[in-house]
Amino acid sequence: MGQEISHSSFSEEDFKRFRHRVIAETALLEQWMADGVLDQGEAMAGSEIEAWLVTDRGLPAPVNQAFLRYMDDPQVVPELSTFNVELNTRPVPFAAGMFDHMHEELAALWRRCEVAATREAAHMLMIGILPTVQQSDLCLENISAMQRYQALNEQVLRMRNGRPLALDILAREHLVAEHDDVMLEAATTSFQIHLKIPPQQAARAYNLSKIISAPMVALSANSPFLFGHELWDETRIPLFEQSVAVGASDYSKRVTFGVRYAEHSIMECFEANRDRYPVLLPQLMDAPVESLAHLRLHNGTIWRWNRPLVGISENGKAHIRIEHRVVPSGPSPLDVIANAAFYFGLIQELMATEKDAEARLPFISAKENFYSSACRGLDARVVWFDGQEGSVADLCLQKLIPQARAGLLRLGIGVQEADRWLDIIEARAASRQTGARWQREWISRNGKDFPAMVRAYRERQDSARPVHAWKV
């Protein structure tokens, strides 16, 4: 969905022709997979982080158009609402110093963005859900001026026959609401981790990304409040799923954890896209079939929490990436890169040592672990390999963090660098102080003064300290 489209209105013929192109491009990708002609190059790491623009008071600042004009940087692009932007880091190979480099790049880009934001009397903030955002802010007057967003709204409502979107989230409090457009999605900002991987390893990496989604979302949870209600530790999960709810079943939900592991090949996801998901944005493109342009656009309108992507490498060959989407934005640049280090290290170690992971943790358990961890954070109880049970915090401290360290060493990361980043994860798990826990504690002590909480949060974010070290 990162690409712009030329118009937002479509005919039935557009849908028909687009679908034919998706079918042809899926067949070509399948042939390339079978023939081994996809990019087999080295694994690479990349990321995207979505952020908020806020006022001095901590309220949404709908000024991204002027902000982006001043930035004039292809790494910083619009998001759905005019108070959100997305920052992209450059892909890097796995090597010593990579996480330090990723942090330096992100921190430098963030500082430049903050300078640009202050020109509009605004500030940058990385947080999963901005606690001060109101339902009235999430309106079409605040949608970014891009055709793809207008089209997304029109087509989602078309598929719902004009019915409003229904929001129903139950936790410590119960939030029930209706909304007339897709702008609810704008309240959810994430840190998306990208793993470019040889195609023959993609299915395993995809399955293991699902398996570790529970500890990833528990450790990174940063979205406990929405519209004044205290909800899940990572309320972004049910909010995003309900904000574009057009699927009639688990087999056609646009935002989904999925219905099973990949059994043989990552192609199973693209075949499901072709067979089970109606076309949402049928933008016909004058592009050769080898560009897979329609397949990629269609895939971009299906927001799996772990999503396989097809990209085109500099050598002109298509490659496969896994996009891990469960992690929210923030709370600090240090926390963000530590989350990436934990993900990459753990994936690498599990791929090397857990040969029968899918058999040892049934898919239904991985799925239940994910939603329980999104709701309860590090206090959630999960089932792990071979039926082991316990809190997700203990699982991380006793097993997963040591495995992530071993995985980073396998990737060529030095001991000191691995320790520097994973010590942040370990301290967060040991203290149980995620961004979500810090926000809950602040509100518990100070009452539901969300603007004051956002200001306190931004002050600590600017302190260049990870969230486990923040004072309430």
Side-chain angles (χ1 to χ4, degrees), residues 171-427:
R172 300 188 186 192
E173 298 175 358
H174 192 186
L175 173 60
V176 178
E178 287 190 342
H179 205 76
D180 291 329
D181 51 61
V182 299
M183 285 291 285
L184 284 174
E185 182 192 333
T188 70
T189 53
S190 63
F191 174 59
Q192 296 154 23
I193 304 171
H194 287 239
L195 172 61
K196 175 180 172 285
I197 193 163
Q200 65 273 17
Q201 299 177 21
R204 289 216 71 229
Y206 174 70
N207 291 345
L208 290 169
S209 293
K210 289 191 175 193
I211 285 172
I212 70 171
S213 291
M216 286 297 298
V217 78
L219 279 164
S220 62
N222 197 25
S223 313
F225 297 102
L226 176 63
F227 304 155
H229 291 70
E230 187 172 5
L231 301 168
W232 293 23
D233 264 30
E234 192 46 40
T235 303
R236 186 178 57 89
I237 301 301
L239 176 57
F240 193 13
E241 291 190 350
Q242 295 176 29
S243 67
V244 286
V246 296
S249 74
D250 283 345
Y251 289 88
S252 56
K253 287 180 178 177
R254 305 304 283 216
V255 185
T256 177
F257 191 75
V259 294
R260 62 174 175 83
Y261 296 127
E263 295 177 355
H264 306 292
S265 167
I266 202 65
M267 271 306 304
E268 294 162 29
C269 294
F270 297 102
E271 291 162 355
N273 290 357
R274 176 195 63 199
D275 298 340
R276 297 207 310 257
Y277 287 91
V279 172
L280 191 60
L281 296 181
Q283 172 69 59
L284 294 163
M285 289 166 271
D286 185 17
V289 65
E290 292 81 8
S291 71
L292 307 178
H294 303 84
L295 176 150
R296 293 161 66 195
L297 177 57
H298 184 47
N299 187 54
T301 66
I302 302 161
W303 296 273
R304 294 177 175 90
W305 289 116
N306 294 281
R307 178 166 64 176
L309 300 176
V310 177
I312 305 298
S313 300
E314 291 183 359
N315 61 13
K317 291 185 176 182
H319 68 250
I320 301 295
R321 299 198 307 276
I322 306 301
E323 182 186 40
H324 188 63
R325 302 173 53 82
V326 309
V327 178
S329 185
S332 74
L334 285 169
D335 289 299
V336 162
I337 302 304
N339 291 338
F342 179 70
Y343 170 80
F344 289 125
L346 188 53
I347 283 286
Q348 177 66 23
E349 186 66 10
L350 294 181
M351 289 188 72
T353 63
E354 302 287 358
K355 301 301 184 185
D356 300 315
E358 295 92 337
R360 295 171 59 202
L361 184 70
F363 177 81
I364 188 62
S365 296
K367 186 173 184 177
E368 289 173 354
N369 287 347
F370 172 63
Y371 287 105
S372 177
S373 296
C375 185
R376 299 176 182 85
L378 287 169
D379 293 332
R381 292 192 65 80
V382 295
V383 177
W384 203 240
F385 297 137
D386 306 321
Q388 302 172 62
E389 294 188 42
S391 76
V392 69
D394 289 342
L395 173 67
C396 291
L397 290 167
Q398 297 167 15
K399 192 173 183 67
L400 303 188
I401 295 172
Q403 286 184 309
R405 277 196 170 90
L408 291 180
L409 298 184
R410 286 182 189 273
L411 289 167
I413 309 303
V415 172
Q416 289 185 334
E417 183 181 3
D419 287 346
R420 184 160 54 252
W421 293 105
L422 292 182
D423 283 353
I424 293 172
I425 299 295
E426 187 168 27

Side-chain angles (χ1 to χ4, degrees), residues 116-127:
T118 57
R119 290 173 56 94
E120 303 303 321
H123 302 279
M124 297 287 291
L125 196 77
M126 54 175 75
I127 191 169

